Amino acid sequence: MKLNIESLIPPKQNNYKGNKIALYFFFLFLLRDLARTIIMVFKFDGGMESITGLPMDEYSLDASLSFTNMYGLFSSHFVIFTVVKIVAVFRYREWIPAIYLVMICYVLMAILILMLNPAPIISGAQLGIFIQLPLLLMLLFFSLLERDTAKWNFGEKNHSL
């Protein structure tokens, strides 16, 4: 019996055909997510106060630890998705439009949750969700524009990355 590792990690697919502005913004989102991931993994509050702005010192120690643990479990998907974005940037850039679509779905779900369960404290992270939706929709559009036929190339030359 032989293991086929190539099935798990297919060959590079860095033939990104979308507009470069969507790629540059993807790098910015990746840097933001990487910073958040580092905070979630290494900071004591797991990002509860430093990222979301929730005042953890107003709760008892047991409640704060419970919130932090639940947020940590919830945030594990975020860490994994950040790793997927890193892999996409360095090995599979053809995934970038699909990742933008997943990011849009995530933002839409977050908006739905905020509408159904409004929080008594509005943090900057919650406001950022509403700003991200139109930006991500625009970036998805740009990532789907092929550079050969796009009219909005922002002065870029026609060569692959």
Side-chain angles (χ1 to χ4, degrees):
M1 181 183 337
K2 181 181 172 188
L3 289 175
N4 185 4
I5 300 295
E6 293 167 356
S7 298
L8 184 62
I9 303 172
K12 267 187 171 182
Q13 298 171 342
N14 270 346
N15 190 15
Y16 174 73
K17 296 177 182 170
N19 194 290
K20 283 189 180 181
I21 196 160
L23 182 62
Y24 297 147
F25 268 93
F26 192 83
F27 281 112
L28 291 176
F29 278 113
L30 178 61
L31 289 175
R32 179 205 62 185
D33 294 347
L34 197 55
R36 284 183 180 174
T37 298
I38 290 169
I39 290 170
M40 287 176 189
V41 171
F42 294 110
K43 207 154 183 212
F44 174 73
D45 69 349
M48 278 296 286
E49 192 165 354
S50 51
I51 293 176
T52 64
L54 293 174
M56 297 305 292
D57 55 350
E58 293 183 11
Y59 301 101
S60 70
L61 180 60
D62 290 339
S64 294
L65 289 174
S66 295
F67 291 147
T68 303
N69 286 341
M70 290 305 294
Y71 187 73
L73 291 171
F74 168 74
S75 300
S76 62
H77 81 281
F78 191 82
V79 173
I80 292 168
F81 193 47
T82 301
V83 171
V84 169
K85 288 177 186 175
I86 291 169
V87 170
V89 162
F90 292 107
R91 189 162 177 99
Y92 304 109
R93 287 192 183 164
E94 289 181 359
W95 293 359
I96 289 177
I99 292 175
Y100 271 130
L101 186 60
V102 171
M103 290 168 69
I104 289 168
C105 291
Y106 176 81
V107 167
L108 287 172
M109 289 301 296
I111 289 172
L112 179 66
I113 290 168
L114 288 173
M115 297 291 199
L116 294 176
N117 303 311
I121 300 170
I122 297 177
S123 69
Q126 291 171 334
L127 293 176
I129 290 290
F130 291 98
I131 295 169
Q132 283 185 49
L133 183 60
L135 178 63
L136 287 172
L137 287 168
M138 180 184 69
L139 292 171
L140 174 63
F141 173 74
F142 280 129
S143 71
L144 294 172
L145 277 179
E146 290 194 20
R147 280 183 270 160
D148 295 341
T149 59
K151 294 187 183 204
W152 300 324
N153 276 331
F154 301 103
E156 62 190 47
K157 304 232 185 311
N158 187 10
H159 52 79
S160 61
L161 296 172

